[in-house]
Amino acid sequence: MSSLEIIATVLGGLTIGSALMVVLSPHPVRSVLYLILTFFLISGNYILMNAQFIAVVNIIVYAGAIMVLFLFVLMLLNLSKDNEPKSSIKMKIAATFAGGALLTVLIAALKDSVILPKTEMLENQQGMVENLGQLLFTKYVLPFEMSSILFIAAMVGAVLLAKREKQIIE
Amino acid sequence: MSVQQLVPLILLFPLIGGIINGIFGKKLPKALVGSLATLASTLSFAAALMVFFQLNEPVKIHLFRMIDLVDLRLSASLLADNLSLWMVLIITGIGSLIHLFSMGYMKHDAGYSKFFTYLNLFIFAMLILVLGSNYFMLFFGWEGVGICSYFLIGFHYSDAEKGMLNGIAARKAFIMNRIGDLGLLIGLFLILSQFGTLEYQELANIVTVDKILGTPWMMFGITMCLFIGATGKSAQIPLFTWLPDAMAGPTPVSALIHAATMVTAGIFLVVRSNFFFEHAPMTQEIMLYIGLATSLVAAFIAMRQNDIKKVLAYSTVSQLGLLFVALGMGAYTAAIFHVTTHAFFKALLFLGSGSVIHAMSDEQDIRKMGGLRKKIPLTHLTFLIGTLAITGFPLLSGFFSKDEIVGHAFSHNVVIYGILMFSILLTAIYMFRMYFVVFFGSFRGTHEQEHHVHEGPASMTLPLVILAILSVFGGLLNLPGIWLKGQAHWLSHHLEHNTGGLNLIEAEHADNGITLMLMIIAVAVCLGALVVCYLVYGKKQNVPVADAELSGWQKISANKLYIDEIYNFLFVRPTEWLSVVGHKFIEIMFLNGIILGFAKGIGASGELVKKWQTGRVNWYILWMVGGIVGLIVYYLVKI
Amino acid sequence: MILASIFESGVSIQFYIVLSTILFAIGVLGVLIRKNAIIVLMCVEIMLNAVNLLMVAFSTYFGNGDAQVFVFFIMVVAAAEATIGLSILVLLYRNNRSVDIGLFNKLKG
């Protein structure tokens, strides 16, 4: 096995472990931290595949902005281990079964699928910023502009929703 | 105007009259309403007359198609031939006179316009019955007259003291007619299944010319069913008890419907279907005996009735029995002749009784009348003529028509002739009894009634006069050969020829010697009854006693042979019991149980499904995941 | 830096398929097990990231950059969704003083 394979395997295993800790950790703050770790590991995977732009954007947007948002809300609501709601054992068993079943079924469905042969590539360039930028601004320029409208809607929505409505409280 | 144009007009006038009076009648002045209705009827009569003079051979007028399938073609078409036209003349002629009478008689009634609407519609339905060219039109008119008679009998249904009884009488008439209608309908189905058509001309061709008859049992079935229908409408045993009860309606109604027109619908049906009846000798025998029995029973009951209209009602039933005897012997034209003269004098008698009731301020019990011949002379004279006609007084119309039937009976079977003569004797006795009790002797009513006794207005007396003249001279229509060598039996010949593809097969007329002997016997019977009644009721002034004091045969007669009570016990009470059982068990337990149970079941299943909606998102997502897994598995396994 | 595609050096595509599926299943597990609304939202993010991973893997496998553009847009949408989700959550907390999703069962029955 080449070094790349070993790195890829280790990274994969760590990602799975980290994601599992997100789900199983009783502290909500620790869950958030584990999720940040997961994102970093996934970015590591991206770099392995030379998708540099995506890797960086992943860290900046997801780990940097969204997770910070989550953390803020967590701390705002002052949640800790004590007032963390617990689900019933029945639910845990059922969920485990469901999740396991989903996993099994998906892998069974995908294992026999025909995979087209990979493209021979000695230069893995499409993850580079220039190439991605070119695609983004020529072929996918419309979704790109649309996403700005999406953000405006999200911003307006967030502000509106989080505003304190004085009339109702009093 | 040609026949084709005139015949639909005959139908149209009463229909338009009925519709106009029905919609606008309340707002129009009473004189206009009555005149309009009478005019409509008279115009129909005029149109019928015009057709009568023009008609040479049967004319079929097609109006429109009703049902047009491969196996079943029914069309609304009219057949104008001598038979139907003769009936039309009777209906519209006497109908017009009765309309005129009603203008005076019903003047103080609140439902004036309603009455004339119903009268016109009745004439319309009856005209459809006789003018139709197939059994379907006949059935349509049949039902039409049934419903109009229901309306008219129960006309005063909201009357304070008698309103309930009027409604009951109307329902009784309708329900008994319905029983007969079922027979008629089955007969029609049998005809259709056997011959494939309902048109008179086609059926006559098939039966008489092509000689396709079907089995004798089929012919028996068809004719029996038709006869059962006729039994209902023409009040024979066992469906006759509605007719006396129907006297609850206003007197013009009784005159029109129950003397002249509706009750003759059964006779008309049999005459129209003569080609069927000629091939069913068993039915003819049954008809004959039932007619004979009815005639006797009704005459017996009439002997001790004290309501002036009830006597006339039973007299009508009795005369109808006589007519069925004639039909049972195959004497169709004699029957039509007697129908004509009966229409004349029975309408006259009913209208006359109406005039008497009007004069006596709505009193109908003859025991409270008396000595009226000096107070209302015109009514008295016309009533006398009517009574003489019905009893067969020589040279009046009834004499000739009864004689003809009796003559046929004599040549058929002497025993039947004897029984028939006995029935005619009874008829004479009770008619003269009524006449003498009402018009002779001293007045037995109250003082106010005595004060108010007066002749009716001209609108009431004119029809009486006209009908009296017709009753006197009506016999000229069908004189036997003994009187006029050349012109004998005009009506018979008129009806035999040109009668729409029907060959009115006629029994032979007896020879002159026997005719003379029969005539003498009939005269003797009539005059004998006249003398006896004069002595008993006229001179000795033997007033009929009150109901409580009767005994023996008189009590049975006065109580109508207890037939109503027997029917009540046999038929009405079991049916009511059945309906109670049906309600309690079938409806409440069974149907309600099933239907409500069904609804409850759906509700319960809804409750079950409701348990799934826990409101907990976790579980929803769980089911979602489960569903996705299931879907994927399904596709995996399939492929 | 110019690198050869990782798939040239022996890593098979099945590896990334399985990895991505396992991450997705873990995300589903998290959504089902946890009752804290914030954690649930985070597990949704895990699922999205699993999909992102698979997409980038295929993009490298076929040498086609379109998939990476799609990943970019998935991130855009995920950001917007996280924003709105958290606002709603804050509102819920204000009304109910708790973020336990077991208490939000007003749609029951």
Side-chain angles (χ1 to χ4, degrees):
Chain A
M1 261 214 287
S2 68
S3 57
L4 272 178
E5 278 188 49
I6 300 176
I7 298 177
T9 317
V10 167
L11 261 180
L14 280 175
T15 317
I16 291 177
S18 173
L20 219 51
M21 284 316 291
V22 170
V23 171
L24 296 177
S25 164
H27 288 255
V29 181
R30 289 199 196 169
S31 280
V32 176
L33 291 176
Y34 275 118
L35 190 59
I36 296 180
L37 179 61
T38 313
F39 286 146
F40 271 102
L41 290 168
I42 293 187
S43 291
N45 271 313
Y46 289 156
I47 293 185
L48 259 187
M49 292 188 272
N50 208 15
Q52 297 171 0
F53 180 67
I54 298 289
V56 171
V57 165
N58 201 13
I59 294 179
I60 293 178
V61 169
Y62 259 116
I66 297 181
M67 283 303 119
V68 170
L69 203 58
F70 270 103
L71 257 177
F72 272 157
V73 172
L74 255 182
M75 290 194 269
L76 198 67
L77 302 185
N78 207 8
L79 295 173
S80 67
K81 181 182 171 185
D82 308 316
N83 44 19
E84 171 74 14
K86 300 270 195 299
S87 54
S88 60
I89 190 75
K90 188 168 67 165
M91 187 64 196
K92 285 191 190 158
I93 294 178
T96 317
F97 269 117
L102 188 65
L103 179 63
T104 319
V105 156
L106 277 175
I107 296 202
L110 288 170
K111 98 174 148 64
D112 277 335
S113 51
V114 175
I115 299 190
L116 301 169
K118 67 174 188 283
T119 325
E120 293 284 335
M121 235 182 318
L122 289 174
E123 286 187 6
N124 188 3
Q125 287 296 358
Q126 67 275 21
M128 294 298 176
V129 181
E130 306 95 45
N131 297 335
L132 209 53
Q134 232 170 11
L135 258 183
L136 200 59
F137 282 107
T138 54
K139 205 163 152 192
Y140 295 104
V141 68
L142 186 60
F144 183 70
E145 304 298 334
M146 284 294 148
S147 59
S148 62
I149 298 182
L150 180 68
F151 275 135
I152 291 183
M155 270 197 290
V156 169
V159 170
L160 219 62
L161 281 172
K163 234 172 64 158
R164 258 187 208 279
E165 291 173 7
K166 298 196 178 79
Q167 309 92 305
I168 295 181
I169 291 182
E170 270 138 65
Chain B
M1 295 176 78
S2 73
V3 172
Q4 256 90 353
Q5 293 168 317
L6 281 172
V7 171
L9 276 183
I10 298 179
L11 279 180
L12 208 59
F13 287 130
L15 181 66
I16 294 181
I19 292 178
I20 292 182
N21 272 337
I23 300 179
F24 302 112
K26 287 244 174 74
K27 305 178 192 134
L28 298 172
K30 277 194 178 170
L32 188 60
V33 166
S35 316
L36 189 63
T38 314
L39 186 66
S41 186
T42 317
L43 282 175
S44 275
F45 180 66
L49 267 181
M50 287 168 72
V51 175
F52 178 72
F53 287 122
Q54 283 183 30
L55 197 63
N56 286 324
E57 50 177 22
V59 174
K60 184 168 162 183
I61 302 158
H62 177 83
L63 292 177
F64 53 86
R65 281 196 296 253
M66 278 190 287
I67 299 179
D68 208 0
L69 307 171
V70 174
D71 297 332
L72 181 63
R73 319 197 94 202
L74 291 178
S75 54
S77 47
L78 307 172
L79 180 65
D81 65 0
N82 286 356
L83 174 64
S84 57
L85 214 55
W86 190 254
M87 298 294 293
V88 167
L89 284 173
I90 297 179
I91 296 167
T92 50
I94 298 195
S96 309
L97 290 173
I98 293 180
H99 276 82
L100 186 58
F101 186 84
S102 310
M103 282 173 69
Y105 190 79
M106 300 291 288
K107 198 173 354 190
H108 302 291
D109 196 295
Y112 194 78
S113 62
K114 198 164 64 156
F115 188 77
F116 278 101
T117 313
Y118 290 151
L119 273 188
N120 265 3
L121 286 178
F122 175 85
I123 301 266
F124 173 67
M126 191 72 200
L127 287 174
I128 290 187
L129 201 160
V130 297
L131 273 176
S133 81
N134 52 37
Y135 280 105
F136 185 75
M137 295 291 279
L138 182 136
F139 186 72
F140 189 79
W142 195 271
E143 299 293 317
V145 297
I147 193 75
C148 284
S149 108
Y150 170 78
F151 288 144
L152 285 165
I153 294 174
F155 188 69
H156 291 130
Y157 62 85
S158 47
D159 184 60
E161 53 172 73
K162 290 212 212 124
M164 196 62 154
L165 290 175
N166 289 345
I168 291 177
R171 273 201 298 283
K172 185 170 177 177
F174 194 68
I175 292 176
M176 277 198 156
N177 270 337
R178 239 8 194 157
I179 301 176
D181 290 350
L182 181 63
L184 178 61
L185 206 52
I186 293 179
L188 289 177
F189 289 150
L190 285 174
I191 294 178
L192 203 56
S193 78
Q194 175 75 28
F195 297 107
T197 172
L198 287 177
E199 298 279 333
Y200 299 140
Q201 290 176 312
E202 290 174 25
L203 285 168
N205 270 338
I206 293 177
V207 172
T208 53
V209 174
D210 296 341
K211 303 269 190 248
I212 302 174
L213 292 177
T215 67
W217 278 113
M218 176 60 92
M219 206 43 99
F220 175 69
I222 290 178
T223 48
M224 265 320 274
C225 288
L226 290 179
F227 175 56
I228 292 176
T231 313
K233 264 289 185 287
S234 297
Q236 297 298 294
I237 289 175
L239 297 172
F240 70 96
T241 52
W242 63 269
L243 206 148
D245 281 17
M247 295 299 121
T251 313
V253 169
S254 308
L256 181 62
I257 296 183
H258 308 123
T261 46
M262 186 173 102
V263 293
T264 58
I267 314 284
F268 175 75
L269 172 64
V270 175
V271 173
R272 257 287 183 236
S273 322
N274 61 71
F275 44 86
F276 283 136
F277 281 88
E278 284 301 309
H279 294 283
M282 209 150 45
T283 315
Q284 286 187 310
E285 291 284 309
I286 297 179
M287 255 197 323
L288 199 148
Y289 288 117
I290 287 189
L292 201 56
T294 310
S295 178
L296 275 178
V297 163
F300 178 68
I301 297 179
M303 294 279 287
R304 282 290 172 266
Q305 293 297 315
N306 290 323
D307 183 330
I308 204 176
K309 283 172 72 175
K310 286 259 171 46
V311 175
L312 293 175
Y314 283 108
S315 150
T316 305
V317 176
S318 183
Q319 296 296 308
L320 287 170
L322 181 65
L323 281 168
F324 272 100
V325 169
L327 288 176
M329 298 187 293
Y332 299 108
T333 50
I336 297 288
F337 182 36
H338 193 61
V339 161
T340 314
T341 58
H342 176 262
F344 293 152
F345 52 70
K346 195 46 74 65
L348 171 62
L349 282 170
F350 266 111
L351 292 185
S353 76
S355 185
V356 167
I357 294 172
H358 177 85
M360 290 288 296
S361 316
D362 293 333
E363 175 63 62
Q364 292 185 258
D365 194 333
I366 60 175
R367 295 171 289 193
K368 304 222 178 68
M369 307 177 189
L372 285 179
R373 75 175 187 277
K374 302 205 182 71
K375 302 196 199 267
I376 36 175
L378 187 62
T379 306
H380 164 246
L381 189 59
T382 52
F383 201 87
L384 175 63
I385 294 178
T387 313
L388 291 175
I390 192 175
T391 55
F393 194 80
L395 296 187
L396 266 63
S397 56
F399 172 69
F400 291 113
S401 61
K402 276 201 194 182
D403 212 50
E404 181 129 357
I405 296 180
V406 160
H408 281 293
F410 186 80
S411 47
H412 188 88
N413 185 342
V414 183
V415 175
I416 293 183
Y417 165 75
I419 301 178
L420 212 55
M421 283 315 289
F422 180 63
S423 163
I424 292 181
L425 174 67
L426 287 182
T427 305
I429 292 180
Y430 66 70
M431 283 308 296
F432 281 128
R433 164 181 177 264
M434 180 169 79
Y435 167 73
F436 282 118
V437 169
V438 170
F439 288 103
F440 273 65
S442 52
F443 191 73
R444 292 182 291 275
T446 67
H447 273 299
E448 299 147 32
Q449 287 171 335
E450 191 162 7
H451 239 8
H452 277 130
V453 169
H454 62 282
E455 228 20 291
S459 62
M460 280 171 64
T461 51
L462 183 62
L464 290 176
V465 170
I466 297 180
L467 283 171
I469 297 176
L470 284 171
S471 300
V472 170
F473 293 111
L476 288 173
L477 286 170
N478 208 17
L479 291 176
I482 198 169
W483 297 90
L484 293 169
K485 294 294 190 287
Q487 295 287 331
H489 293 291
W490 175 82
L491 185 59
S492 293
H493 291 306
H494 177 76
L495 289 175
E496 266 176 14
H497 303 300
N498 300 334
T499 309
L502 310 172
N503 288 323
L504 280 186
I505 307 159
E506 191 65 44
E508 315 91 40
H509 302 295
D511 71 273
N512 284 346
I514 299 187
T515 317
L516 195 56
M517 177 185 81
L518 296 175
M519 230 180 268
I520 296 178
I521 297 180
V523 171
V525 161
C526 172
L527 290 176
L530 176 57
V531 167
V532 166
C533 285
Y534 174 65
L535 288 176
V536 172
Y537 295 108
K539 228 161 168 212
K540 284 199 203 161
Q541 303 193 14
N542 229 341
V543 178
V545 296
D547 284 337
E549 300 170 23
L550 291 173
S551 62
W553 68 271
Q554 303 187 46
K555 190 164 178 210
I556 300 181
S557 163
N559 278 324
K560 305 169 281 167
L561 280 176
Y562 300 107
I563 290 187
D564 272 329
E565 284 77 11
I566 296 175
Y567 279 173
N568 196 22
F569 183 70
L570 279 180
F571 301 113
V572 178
R573 293 240 288 257
T575 312
E576 284 178 358
W577 176 83
L578 206 65
S579 75
V580 168
V581 164
H583 178 67
K584 276 218 192 96
F585 291 111
I586 299 180
E587 189 167 343
I588 292 186
M589 276 169 53
F590 196 55
L591 287 176
N592 272 3
I594 285 187
I595 293 180
L596 285 182
F598 194 62
K600 279 198 203 130
I602 294 200
S605 66
E607 289 283 320
L608 262 179
V609 177
K610 216 168 74 164
K611 293 207 194 333
W612 237 332
Q613 307 279 358
T614 52
R616 290 166 55 192
V617 186
N618 281 11
W619 284 100
Y620 288 172
I621 303 181
L622 185 65
W623 296 123
M624 246 168 50
V625 172
I628 294 175
V629 168
L631 261 177
I632 299 181
V633 167
Y634 172 71
Y635 277 113
L636 271 183
V637 170
K638 215 167 75 143
I639 303 173
Chain C
M1 219 162 54
I2 299 179
L3 283 177
S5 160
I6 189 173
F7 295 107
E8 296 295 322
S9 33
V11 178
S12 62
I13 187 70
Q14 277 86 343
F15 171 72
Y16 277 105
I17 292 181
V18 170
L19 176 63
S20 170
T21 311
I22 294 179
L23 277 175
F24 190 80
I26 291 177
V28 169
L29 193 70
V31 169
L32 290 176
I33 284 190
R34 300 300 294 246
K35 279 177 104 167
N36 191 338
I38 305 180
I39 310 291
V40 169
L41 279 172
M42 278 165 30
C43 294
V44 174
E45 302 294 334
I46 297 181
M47 285 197 267
L48 284 168
N49 267 281
V51 171
N52 282 358
L53 185 62
L54 191 61
M55 284 219 155
V56 172
F58 269 113
S59 153
T60 312
Y61 189 73
F62 289 122
N64 194 348
D66 290 11
Q68 297 196 12
V69 173
F70 199 65
V71 166
F72 178 77
F73 285 122
I74 290 183
M75 278 198 222
V76 162
V77 170
E81 168 232 328
T83 315
I84 301 290
L86 284 173
S87 323
I88 295 178
L89 208 130
V90 166
L91 264 183
L92 273 177
Y93 180 79
R94 272 201 212 134
N95 287 334
N96 297 64
R97 283 281 152 214
S98 150
V99 284
D100 181 359
I101 61 173
L103 297 178
F104 306 142
N105 61 353
K106 290 273 168 57
L107 280 182
K108 180 180 165 151

